[in-house]
Amino acid sequence: MTDAAQRILQLRAELDQHNYRYHVLDEPSIPDAEYDRLFHELKALEAQNPQLVTPDSPTQRVGSLALSAFGEVKHEVPMLSLGNAFEDSDLEDFDRRVREGLDLPAGDLFGSVEYSCEPKLDGLAVSLLYENGLLVRGATRGDGSTGEDISVNVRTIRNVPLKLQGEGWPQVLEVRGEVFMSKAGFEALNARQLEQGGKVFANPRNAAAGSLRQLDSKITASRPLEFCCYGIGRVQGDLPETHIGILHALKGWGMPISRELKLAKGAQACLDYYRDIGQRRTSLAYEIDGVVFKVNSLAQQRELGFRAREPRWAIAHKFPALEELTELLAVEFQVGRTGAVTPVARLKPVKVAGVTVSNATLHNMDEVARLGLMVGDTVVIRRAGDVIPQVVQVVSERRPNWSPEEREQRSVKVPEHCPVCGSAVERTQLVKRSKGKESFVEGSIYRCVGRLACGAQLKQAIIHFVSRRAMDIEGLGEKSVEQLVDEGLVNSPADLYALTFEQIVGLEGFAELSTNNLLEAIEQSRKPTLARFIYALGIPDVGEETAKLLARALGSLARIRQALPEVLTYLPDVGLEVAHEIHSFFADEHNQGVIGQLLKHGIELQEEGDLHPEFAASTTLAGFITKLNIAFIAATGAERLAAKFGSVQGIIDADWLDVRQVERLSERAAKSLRDYFDDPANAQHALAIENQLREFGMHWQSERKQLEGLPLAGQTWVLTGSLEVMSRDVAKDKLEALGAKVAGSVSAKTSCVVAGPGAGSKLAKANDLGVKVLDEDAFLAVLAGYGVAL
Ligand code: NAD
C-alpha cells in the first residue's frame, strides 16, 4: 500500500471517530479547527489520488449515523453539509464556479450573482415538518438521509411555532434551521450544572446539541434553546422563487429568521458582509462560526445542483476558530488581592482567533480536578470575545502512556507554602446551614494566610485601594506601588497617608511636579464616601455594588463593622457566604488595626447616616425564625409563633405548653423548636441577633409596618431616561425613603413613571397602559410637596 493510501485510511478512521463523537455523542474531543485540518488533509490526498475515493469516505458523507434510541426519520430531501471557505480567495473561487456553472461570462459586465447572506449559527441542524400549518415532526440531520425523531423535544423550544400564523402556507412545509444556545444561556446553564454537580459543557454548540438530543424531554425543556430558520426541505404548495423571499414568507408565518439576513451582489459585497459580521461577532448574543452565502435565485440553485455532501450554490465562509489545541507546559500559582492562590496554565503559544495565547485561567483546583489536567497534556483552549482564554478540555487520547511515577509528577498540586511570601496556604471553608445548624465544608479556593505581610497581596491591595472607583488616588500606578512596597515604605494602605515628599520623589519616574500632584491626590482622598471606603478595603466578595448596598442600608462604618452575618443577610443579594466574609473581615485583628490606622490618619467618612428605612423595615420576626431553618418550622408556623410571642426572648421564655397552644403547630414542630432553643449556643446566637437588630433600630415588625405610615407606601415607581438635577440612584433613595418601591419595568400596577430625556420603551409602555408620567420638574415638585430636600 502506498504511503498516501495508508494515510487516507488512517485519516478516515480518525475522522469517523471524531464524527461519531461530535454528531452522535455531542462530546467532541478535539476542536473544530483540528477536525477541519484533518478533513482538508484527507480531501487534498483524495484529490491527488481520485482512484482511492470511496463512497464511505467522510469527504463524501454528511454527519454520522443517528442514535438508535430515537425513532428514525427519513429525509425525503437530503439534509446536506456546506462547503467551506477560509480565505477570501476561496470565496472568490466559489463565485467563479457559480458563474461558470450558470454559464455567465467572467467579469461583472453581465451582472453579478445575487447571494443571500446569513450568519452561520453554531448549533445543530433541525428539520421541522408542518402539515396544514401544524407542527407534526421534528428531526435531526443524522447522516443526511436518516435523522432522529426529536418531535417531543423540539416542541419544548419556546420560539418554535407549534402552529403557523396567518395564511397562504403550503399544505406540507418542511422548515430547516439551527437549534442553538445564546452565550448568556450557555453561561447560565454551565453555572447551574456546576452548582448541581452536573455535566459542564465545553461550548454553546455542545450544550445545544446535548440538550436537544435528550431522551427525557423535560431536560430539554429546562435548557435555554432557541431556533433560527434558514431554509426549507420538502414542500407541497407554492413559495416565492428566491431564498430571501422564502425566508420572509416564513417569517410572516411566525418562523424566527436571522435579523442579519442581507442580499449581496457579487463576491465583493459578500466579503464586505463577512467583514462586517466578523467585527460584530463578539457582541452578538449567540456564537457563530462563519457566514453562509447562498445563490438567491431558486432557478439558479436548481441549475447548479449538488455535489456528494454539499450544494454547489452555497458556501460557509468560516471565521478564525475560537478553540485551538496546544500543550500544557506547566501550572503556576498566582496570589491575588484577597490571598486566593489560583492555578494558571502556562501553554505552548498558540494563535486563537488571531491572538497568540500562552496563558489561560484554570479558575480553581476543583476546575483542575474536573478537567483531570496533567502537565504535558494536549489541551483545548477557548478564547471567546474578550473573555480570558480558558482550558476547556484535555484531549485524553493524545496523552502519552506515562508511568504511574510520571503521572504523579505531572499531576497538579497546590503548593503548601505561598509562592510569594512562604506563608502557609490553607483551603477556604464554606458555611452551610441545614436543620438550624451551621456547618463548614471545604471550599474550592486556597488562600495564602500571609495577608498584608504577603508582598503579592499587599501590592494588589494597595493597587485596589488607590484605584479610581475606590479611594481614587490619581498618579499612583502599579509600578510605583510595587516600588513603594518593595522598598518597605508602604506596609499597609494607611502608610500612604504618611508618605513624604522625599520618599516619593525618590521613586522611579517621579519629579517635583508629579510628587506634589501625588501628595495633593492623597490629601484629596481623605474624605471618601462610606461606600467607596468599604469598597477600597477589598473585602473578599464585596464589589462596588455590595459596598454601596452596605453603606446605603447600614449607614455607618460602626454598624457595618459590628453587623452579625445573619443581620447582613437582610440585605438583598447578600447570602450567608458573603455575609460571613464581611463579618470575619471586620472581626480580624489585623484588619481592625489597618482600619484604626486609616481613621487615625485622618480619613473622614462622608455620607454616613441613619439606617435606611426600607432596611429597617425588612426584619420581621417570622422571617427571622424561618431563617433559623429549624426542622419542621416553615413560613406559616413561624408567622404564628411570631404573632403569639413577639420576640425571640418571648419564645425562649415561653414554656412548653404555651408553645403547644400555638394554633396548628404540630407536636413535632413544637418539640423541634424546644430542642433548638434548649441548646444554649442556639439561644445565645438568636438573642445576639435580636439584640443587635434592636441596637441598630430595627425592631421586629409585622410585614412592612414601618412603611405603612410613609406617604408613598404601597406605590411602585419607575425611573427612566436621564435626570438632570439628581442621579437616578439618588431619586431612588428619596422615593424609597417616602415608602415607595422602585421597580425596573412598567406594568399596569405601576403607580407613576418619572421620565427624563432619552426615555424609550418604558415611557411608551406607560403611555400605552395609561400610567401616570411625570417629567423631572413635576417629580421634584412632588418631592418638595413631601418636604424632601434636594
Ligand atoms: P458545517 O457545520 O460546517 O455546515 C453545515 C451546517 O451549518 C448545517 O448543517 C447547519 O446546521 C449549519 N448552518 C448554520 N447556519 C446556517 C445557515 N444560515 N444556512 C445553512 N446552514 C447553516 O458542516 P457539518 O457537516 O455540519 O459539520 C462539519 C463541521 O463540524 C466541521 O467544520 C467541523 O468544524 C465540525 N466537526 C467537528 C468535529 C470535532 O471533533 N471537533 C467532528 C465533526 C465535525
Side-chain angles (χ1 to χ4, degrees), residues 270-513:
C270 287
L271 290 174
D272 290 346
Y273 179 85
Y274 174 79
R275 271 184 268 284
D276 171 49
I277 298 279
Q279 271 168 10
R280 292 190 288 123
R281 180 187 189 185
T282 53
S283 56
L284 294 178
Y286 41 83
E287 211 148 84
I288 57 176
D289 60 345
V291 292
V292 183
F293 301 117
K294 295 171 190 158
V295 170
N296 192 33
S297 148
L298 292 208
Q300 289 183 335
Q301 286 189 4
R302 283 190 289 270
E303 205 178 328
L304 288 161
F306 299 88
R307 254 193 295 226
R309 67 191 296 279
E310 61 211 33
R312 286 201 174 85
W313 42 263
I315 193 156
H317 194 179
K318 296 263 193 140
F319 289 134
L322 298 177
E323 290 181 3
E324 268 297 350
L325 277 188
T326 190
E327 191 191 329
L328 178 70
L329 300 177
V331 173
E332 285 172 12
F333 287 83
Q334 271 180 356
V335 186
R337 170 165 63 80
T338 59
V341 177
T342 44
V344 181
R346 303 284 178 228
L347 305 163
K348 190 163 157 200
V350 60
K351 252 199 162 155
V352 191
V355 172
T356 304
V357 172
S358 44
N359 301 311
T361 171
L362 289 169
H363 303 292
N364 56 43
M365 288 308 286
D366 283 358
E367 177 72 359
V368 171
R370 191 181 69 76
L371 291 166
L373 268 191
M374 288 195 190
V375 174
D377 267 336
T378 301
V379 290
V380 179
I381 303 300
R382 178 177 171 77
R383 188 185 153 265
D386 300 329
V387 184
I388 310 167
Q390 277 179 299
V391 175
V392 289
Q393 204 174 319
V394 170
V395 185
S396 41
E397 65 250 39
R398 297 216 178 162
R399 180 180 280 176
N401 203 0
W402 289 318
S403 68
E405 296 80 53
E406 247 178 318
R407 291 171 72 91
E408 169 59 22
Q409 211 189 342
R410 289 170 180 278
S411 67
V412 181
K413 295 172 216 72
V414 184
E416 283 174 20
H417 298 284
C418 169
V420 178
C421 73
S423 303
V425 169
E426 283 180 356
R427 193 168 188 164
T428 50
Q429 307 248 294
L430 297 180
V431 199
K432 289 261 173 295
R433 187 190 261 288
S434 69
K435 299 230 167 77
K437 288 251 180 295
E438 265 179 19
S439 59
F440 292 90
V441 291
E442 285 191 328
S444 48
I445 296 173
Y446 288 79
R447 270 199 196 138
C448 156
V449 300
R451 311 274 182 98
L452 297 189
C454 170
Q457 290 181 62
L458 178 60
K459 284 175 191 169
Q460 294 300 321
I462 305 270
I463 290 168
H464 173 77
F465 185 81
V466 303
S467 64
R468 202 168 58 80
R469 310 194 71 89
M471 299 296 272
D472 192 18
I473 300 181
E474 215 183 312
L476 199 56
E478 292 189 17
K479 285 264 164 326
S480 321
V481 170
E482 281 183 13
Q483 271 189 67
L484 287 170
V485 169
D486 290 341
E487 288 173 24
L489 296 171
V490 167
N491 294 307
S492 103
D495 291 346
L496 293 171
Y497 293 93
L499 285 176
T500 63
F501 181 90
E502 285 69 31
Q503 287 172 332
I504 297 176
V505 85
L507 298 177
E508 237 176 80
F510 275 87
E512 194 178 320
L513 180 67

Side-chain angles (χ1 to χ4, degrees), residues 18-19 22-23 28 30-32 35-36 80-82 84 118-121 124-125 141 178 230 292 294 309 318:
H18 290 308
N19 271 325
Y22 181 90
H23 292 292
I30 54 166
D32 291 355
Y35 176 90
D36 292 347
L80 297 180
S81 176
L82 291 169
N84 283 331
E118 296 159 62
K120 184 169 181 296
L121 291 163
L124 74 160
R141 189 179 67 175
E178 199 84 346
Y230 53 62
V292 183
K294 295 171 190 158
R309 67 191 296 279
K318 296 263 193 140

Side-chain angles (χ1 to χ4, degrees), residues 65 97 255 392 513 531 539 610 702:
L65 284 182
R97 286 197 304 273
M255 277 291 155
V392 289
L513 180 67
I539 306 165
D610 292 338
S702 55

